[in-house]
Amino acid sequence: MVELEKIPHLDEISHHGVFQGVRPKNTATFRQRTVAHNKLMPSLEEAIRRTGLKDGMTISFHHHFRNGDHVLNMVVDTLARMGYKNLTLAASSLAAVHAPLIEHIKAGVITHIETSGLRGELAEQVSRGLMDCPVVFRSHGGRAAAISSGDLHIDVAFLGAPSCDPYGNANGYSRDDDDSIACGSLGYARTDAKYADNVIVITSNVVNYPNAPWAIPEDDVDYIVKVDDIGDPKGIMSGATRYTKNPKELLIAETAANVIEAAGYLYDGFSMQMGSGGASLAAARFLREKMLAQHIHCRFALGGITGQIAAMHEEGLIDRILDVQSFDVDAALSLKKNHFHHQISASYYASPLASAAVDQLDFVILSALEIDTDFNVNVLTGSDGVIRGAIGGHPDTAEGASLSVVVGPLTRGRIPTIIDHVNTVVTPGATVDVVVTDQGVAVNPNRPEVAQKLKKAGIRVYTIQQLKAKAEALVGKPDPIRYLDRIVGVVMYRDNTILDVIRQIDETEA
Amino acid sequence: MEKRYVKDRLRRSMMFVPGNNPGMISDARIYGADSIMLDLEDSVAFTEKDTARLLVHNALKTIDFGKKEVVVRINDLASGLGVEDLEAIIPAGVHVVRLPKTDSAQDVIDCEREIARIEQKNGIPVGSVGMMAAIESANGVLNAREIATASDRLIGVALGAEDYVTDLKTTRADGIELLFARCMILNAARAAGIAALDTVFSNVNDDEGFLAEATLIKKLGFDGKSVINPRQIAPLHKCLQPSQKDLDKAYAVMDAIAEAQARGSGVASLKGKMIDRPVVIRAQRLIALAEADDPVEEE
């Protein structure tokens, strides 16, 4: 018999009084309980009603299904049918498949968009002035920070998942029978799930509890909706990414690998990230040869992960993989079968408010559409001024990595890559260390020690102005793009400051 | 007289670039080939001949090829296109004209006559432009010696295997089918004191096969080889690169020679053995090859 008054310092001990016995024991089988108590909703409409979503609120989506995504269009169609207006759509990114949003924007269902990127018809229309409120573009790390700090408050997150159990443990693949739809990591969705007020998981594959290991834990999930179709597997994941055979991309890749070695960032236990673009991906192949020859290994590879990185992990060259997004089927399979291939959230990956993994990078290899003589990089707008890309983790990794290497051909057809001023600043030049083109290498004057090391290793270093002059000698100087005054996009830096704006293109006859 | 070509230079790789592909022409210099060969002949369809000629003419005039040797493969004179090709490329600044389908010394002499005429017509010193002859038939192989000595302008002779094996009524296989032609051409080149250049290896995805062929021609004694894809250049150069052991020996030979000269002695020896003149020449060649791959190209 517990006598409370006899316990000394009772007021200093947190307690709920004396034990009064337990609830009646539940003797139903676990299978029966799952049927009686779960988060499965009879319909998407019912789930939406239960969240209390109202006009003017913010909804969010992830882009792990890329151009095979069927979730976003299905949800916004449903919201339109239910009569919602004036919603903010905050997606981790948008693809060409999301062109049906144009009609919902015209009808006032969606009045504001936040995203990392825009492509296809929607991007074209936005560049032509589709929306009154400018689209806000954020990097993956910047978005994660904005979500966690409340700068970007999400009312309802609609998260597609290739597998989910009745309590909400969701994953980007399935360890049960049906693995026909898989996207690998659900890294971007994890941040939405953690911070959104309401989370609806939309899945075509409800598996038995517990769906372990999971990307999104059940305590972050409020409702689950089972649908027949969340996406097209072919659009979600390309088959195995192959190394490029383009000799120019291979030349750039090999030079980038030589630059990294010469700059002193290839040592036993280094860390790295590389993009999925032809040249940046191919650099992995040349780094691999150097690692084998020098008997060194990589402590961790970060980022969007490809099959090539997974293969180097399986070969024993990379100890750990931190995977925020799996780029291809082989990467997704590796996540499933390799214990040290680990999925991470967008915040863990790149948030400037967290002690993010990007801050542990020795080097990153990044692509570029345009680079200017101040080393600013554009990956968002094309040479015609139209939005056609995504910020992704570009500024996050460029700032975080000790050595950021931007690769690209000096010219693309008749378009120079190195110019006086980029159309849109996505990554500030102060964070870009080395530019590698097929026709030469330039080092940011901020990093004279890197330039010295490259020269010592026999790599010819040009000034960025010299590279620009080479490009102009080949293809001339393009006419400036004509814009209207109206601003259609705002580019946020990682810290939620406004880095640049995108204007409506001027298509009137000159 | 100012010659545009250097008779004796490093020619490990000669990269074929179709003359009607502006992107490939403008990029040609970045891949590190010793010579760039802009092609007006077999890689250009008949309907594209004029386009290619005009494009190559303008490329020679405007594109900076750095220190590369710039070769143009013309159509053979018998085709009726060859003279027009020469008229376009000589005033534009070509270093070396590659004559295809060379069957006899007379083919070289005929081509040289046209080159000299065009040089004269354009106020270019006669003898400025170099030549090389590609041998692509049984007749050509049997006449290799006469072909190789038919003109002072010749910098080398090359084997063109595709036409040759057809002429022989065989196909490309493991290389045995080319052994006689390779040996003939190599000996003709060496007797004439000019370069011997091997044919292309056309399966760009067969890295092993390419390396085996490169190793074979290195053993035979060829200077280099034509390549059709930039990806073949680095492995080719690596294959032709002397081994560190051979290189160390070459440097030791040159050190011994220098030491002997310093002593005022005409006889040098290394490890108790007298150094013969051929040993010195081989050492010099090896060192030149090894030092050729300096990635820093001055501009």
Side-chain angles (χ1 to χ4, degrees):
Chain A
M1 189 65 188
V2 178
E3 292 172 78
L4 285 179
E5 61 279 9
K6 289 192 177 166
I7 300 173
H9 295 281
L10 182 65
D11 55 340
E12 291 169 31
I13 298 170
S14 169
H15 66 96
H16 289 172
V18 178
F19 177 66
Q20 299 291 330
V22 297
R23 289 181 298 180
K25 194 168 174 60
N26 191 338
T27 56
T29 62
F30 128 69
R31 185 74 48 85
Q32 289 167 329
R33 289 187 228 182
T34 310
V35 173
H37 301 281
N38 60 51
K39 297 172 182 169
L40 274 164
M41 291 291 114
S43 67
L44 179 59
E45 286 85 348
E46 179 59 20
I48 292 168
R49 270 191 286 275
R50 294 228 193 165
T51 63
L53 181 71
K54 294 191 171 51
D55 289 353
M57 283 187 168
T58 298
I59 56 175
S60 88
F61 300 88
H62 68 71
H63 73 290
H64 288 287
F65 297 168
R66 286 165 279 267
N67 212 36
D69 179 40
H70 292 171
V71 169
L72 188 146
N73 291 337
M74 175 183 68
V75 169
V76 181
D77 285 348
T78 305
L79 294 170
R81 270 202 308 277
M82 292 170 76
Y84 282 99
K85 295 281 180 198
N86 198 24
L87 295 168
T88 290
L89 187 154
S92 59
S93 204
L94 293 168
V97 72
H98 299 123
L101 279 177
I102 294 167
E103 291 313 311
H104 296 307
I105 291 164
K106 286 181 179 164
V109 179
I110 304 294
T111 47
H112 180 47
I113 289 178
E114 300 224 2
T115 180
S116 161
L118 281 181
R119 289 190 170 90
E121 186 57 27
L122 177 60
E124 300 259 345
Q125 295 270 340
V126 167
S127 284
R128 292 186 166 85
L130 174 69
M131 302 189 76
D132 291 333
C133 182
V135 172
V136 170
F137 292 92
R138 294 178 201 275
S139 69
H140 293 323
R143 179 177 190 270
I147 290 172
S148 69
S149 69
D151 285 338
L152 172 56
H153 178 84
I154 298 170
D155 294 293
V156 182
F158 295 89
L159 305 177
S163 72
C164 187
D165 68 34
Y167 296 105
N169 298 295
N171 209 354
Y173 55 87
S174 171
R175 285 185 184 273
D176 292 279
D177 48 349
D178 179 7
D179 207 6
S180 56
I181 294 222
C183 64
S185 176
L186 276 179
Y188 301 125
R190 290 174 83 166
T191 299
D192 293 39
K194 186 170 175 190
Y195 293 101
D197 289 347
N198 289 276
V199 174
I200 302 175
V201 168
I202 297 168
T203 186
S204 55
N205 186 19
V206 176
V207 299
N208 286 333
Y209 174 90
N211 186 24
W214 51 78
I216 297 170
E218 61 181 60
D219 36 325
D220 284 345
V221 176
D222 301 292
Y223 308 101
I224 299 153
V225 177
K226 185 178 189 301
V227 296
D228 292 335
D229 175 22
I230 56 169
D232 169 15
K234 287 196 191 101
I236 292 175
M237 304 237 87
S238 57
T241 320
R242 302 241 178 266
Y243 280 131
T244 178
K245 288 192 169 173
N246 178 328
K248 196 193 271 193
E249 288 184 334
L250 287 171
L251 177 71
I252 295 169
E254 188 169 13
T255 310
N258 290 340
V259 161
I260 287 158
E261 183 183 26
Y265 290 102
L266 198 67
Y267 60 94
D268 192 31
F270 70 97
S271 61
M272 66 175 176
Q273 177 169 342
M274 52 202 65
S276 63
S280 56
L281 176 60
R285 171 177 145 177
F286 296 102
L287 289 169
R288 177 180 169 274
E289 285 168 15
K290 290 180 191 293
M291 290 165 74
L292 286 170
Q294 296 168 33
H295 304 290
I296 60 176
H297 67 136
C298 169
R299 178 58 190 168
F300 76 90
L302 175 66
I305 299 299
T306 57
Q308 281 79 1
I309 295 293
M312 285 168 73
H313 172 56
E314 288 172 4
E315 213 180 342
L317 289 172
I318 298 172
D319 294 353
R320 302 286 190 273
I321 295 176
L322 300 180
D323 185 347
V324 71
Q325 176 182 13
S326 315
F327 278 136
D328 58 28
V329 169
D330 289 349
L333 282 175
S334 165
L335 177 68
K336 187 170 170 177
K337 74 178 183 209
N338 292 320
H339 188 57
F340 291 122
H341 182 159
H342 189 65
Q343 70 176 300
I344 58 169
S345 73
S347 303
Y348 190 100
Y349 168 49
S351 169
L353 300 179
S355 161
V358 290
D359 296 325
Q360 311 298 331
L361 280 175
D362 277 314
F363 61 85
V364 63
I365 304 174
L366 295 162
S367 305
L369 287 173
E370 293 175 330
I371 306 157
D372 69 23
T373 47
D374 293 321
F375 288 85
N376 295 313
V377 177
N378 170 26
V379 289
L380 197 53
T381 48
S383 60
D384 52 1
V386 176
I387 301 161
R388 61 175 75 253
I391 299 179
H394 208 285
D396 304 311
T397 50
E399 187 179 335
S402 304
L403 187 78
S404 61
V405 179
V406 172
V407 297
L410 189 69
T411 59
R412 287 184 170 89
R414 291 179 56 205
I415 316 275
T417 304
I418 301 189
I419 53 180
D420 286 319
H421 299 288
V422 290
N423 271 309
T424 308
V425 180
V426 163
T427 297
T431 64
V432 173
D433 298 311
V434 184
V435 170
V436 175
T437 73
D438 49 327
Q439 310 247 1
V441 173
V443 178
N444 193 320
N446 294 346
R447 301 293 300 271
E449 85 289 3
V450 172
Q452 277 310 318
K453 285 177 181 168
L454 300 196
K455 284 176 194 166
K456 211 172 150 194
I459 297 171
R460 169 84 194 247
V461 177
Y462 296 87
T463 65
I464 191 86
Q465 287 80 8
Q466 283 174 316
L467 289 187
K468 193 200 79 163
K470 275 170 164 255
E472 281 179 6
L474 280 171
V475 294
K477 209 178 170 94
D479 290 338
I481 301 166
R482 293 181 305 123
Y483 290 107
L484 301 173
D485 284 339
R486 184 170 175 210
I487 291 169
V488 299
V490 174
V491 180
M492 296 293 186
Y493 192 57
R494 307 177 70 204
D495 58 3
N496 212 22
T497 56
I498 297 171
L499 180 63
D500 204 352
V501 296
I502 301 167
R503 290 178 197 279
Q504 183 174 345
I505 51 169
D506 181 358
E507 292 176 300
T508 55
E509 293 294 324
Chain B
M1 187 182 76
E2 209 175 292
K3 282 185 185 174
R4 290 180 186 169
Y5 65 98
V6 179
K7 191 137 187 163
D8 190 17
R9 60 168 281 165
L10 201 64
R11 291 187 179 91
R12 295 166 299 179
S13 52
M14 183 169 287
M15 186 172 84
F16 276 42
V17 180
N20 58 344
N21 186 324
M24 287 171 79
I25 294 173
S26 66
D27 286 342
R29 65 165 279 194
I30 66 181
Y31 298 110
D34 293 326
S35 309
I36 292 166
M37 198 208 74
L38 307 175
D39 187 22
L40 298 176
E41 202 217 8
D42 281 356
S43 67
V44 177
F46 193 75
T47 50
E48 288 274 307
K49 293 290 186 191
D50 292 344
T51 317
R53 191 182 299 126
L54 196 61
L55 201 60
V56 167
H57 168 83
N58 282 296
L60 290 169
K61 286 204 330 206
T62 54
I63 291 178
D64 173 13
F65 289 101
K67 287 183 167 178
K68 309 286 175 211
E69 178 174 63
V70 184
V71 180
V72 176
R73 178 164 78 171
I74 60 167
N75 293 283
D76 63 294
L77 298 194
S79 70
L81 298 164
V83 176
E84 271 186 88
D85 292 343
L86 290 171
E87 296 270 10
I89 61 171
I90 290 170
V94 67
H95 299 164
V96 173
V97 171
R98 176 168 168 142
L99 183 63
K101 301 184 174 63
T102 316
D103 292 335
S104 66
Q106 193 58 45
D107 288 343
V108 178
I109 294 163
D110 291 346
C111 185
E112 174 166 24
R113 191 188 313 118
E114 291 299 327
I115 293 174
R117 179 184 64 75
I118 295 164
E119 283 172 337
Q120 210 154 22
K121 190 172 86 178
N122 289 280
I124 300 162
V126 173
S128 297
V129 177
M131 289 176 73
M132 63 179 289
I135 294 174
E136 307 179 44
S137 66
N139 236 329
V141 167
L142 292 172
N143 292 329
R145 184 176 186 170
E146 289 72 32
I147 290 171
T149 50
S151 165
D152 278 347
R153 295 184 191 242
L154 283 172
I155 57 103
V157 279
L159 170 62
E162 293 304 331
D163 284 321
Y164 174 71
V165 291
T166 309
D167 201 23
L168 276 201
K169 298 189 176 175
T170 180
T171 52
R172 298 256 339 236
D174 58 357
I176 193 73
E177 73 286 358
L178 295 179
L179 187 60
F180 177 73
R182 279 182 169 138
C183 293
M184 278 292 283
I185 287 169
L186 181 67
N187 280 278
R190 294 298 173 241
I194 60 177
L197 299 159
D198 191 46
T199 185
V200 298
F201 186 81
S202 37
N203 184 354
V204 294
N205 292 322
D206 181 3
D207 297 341
E208 261 175 52
F210 178 76
L211 211 59
E213 187 163 283
T215 308
L216 173 69
I217 64 129
K218 179 189 182 183
K219 282 184 193 163
L220 287 174
F222 278 87
D223 295 78
K225 185 170 176 59
S226 297
V227 296
I228 47 165
N229 189 298
R231 275 156 47 204
Q232 296 177 327
I233 294 168
L236 175 61
H237 287 190
K238 202 171 159 193
C239 175
L240 297 178
Q241 182 82 2
S243 72
Q244 193 57 46
K245 196 176 139 201
D246 290 344
L247 200 56
D248 288 345
K249 212 164 129 190
Y251 281 118
V253 166
M254 296 315 291
D255 286 348
I257 296 286
E259 201 185 303
Q261 279 169 349
R263 281 199 320 265
S265 162
V267 183
S269 63
L270 184 66
K271 290 180 184 167
K273 275 194 228 163
M274 199 183 82
I275 302 175
D276 294 328
R277 193 171 140 67
V279 174
V280 179
I281 294 171
R282 281 205 300 274
Q284 282 171 331
R285 269 198 211 127
L286 268 183
I287 291 169
L289 255 179
E291 291 179 350
D293 248 346
D294 183 359
V296 182
E297 187 180 309
E298 294 303 326
E299 284 171 46

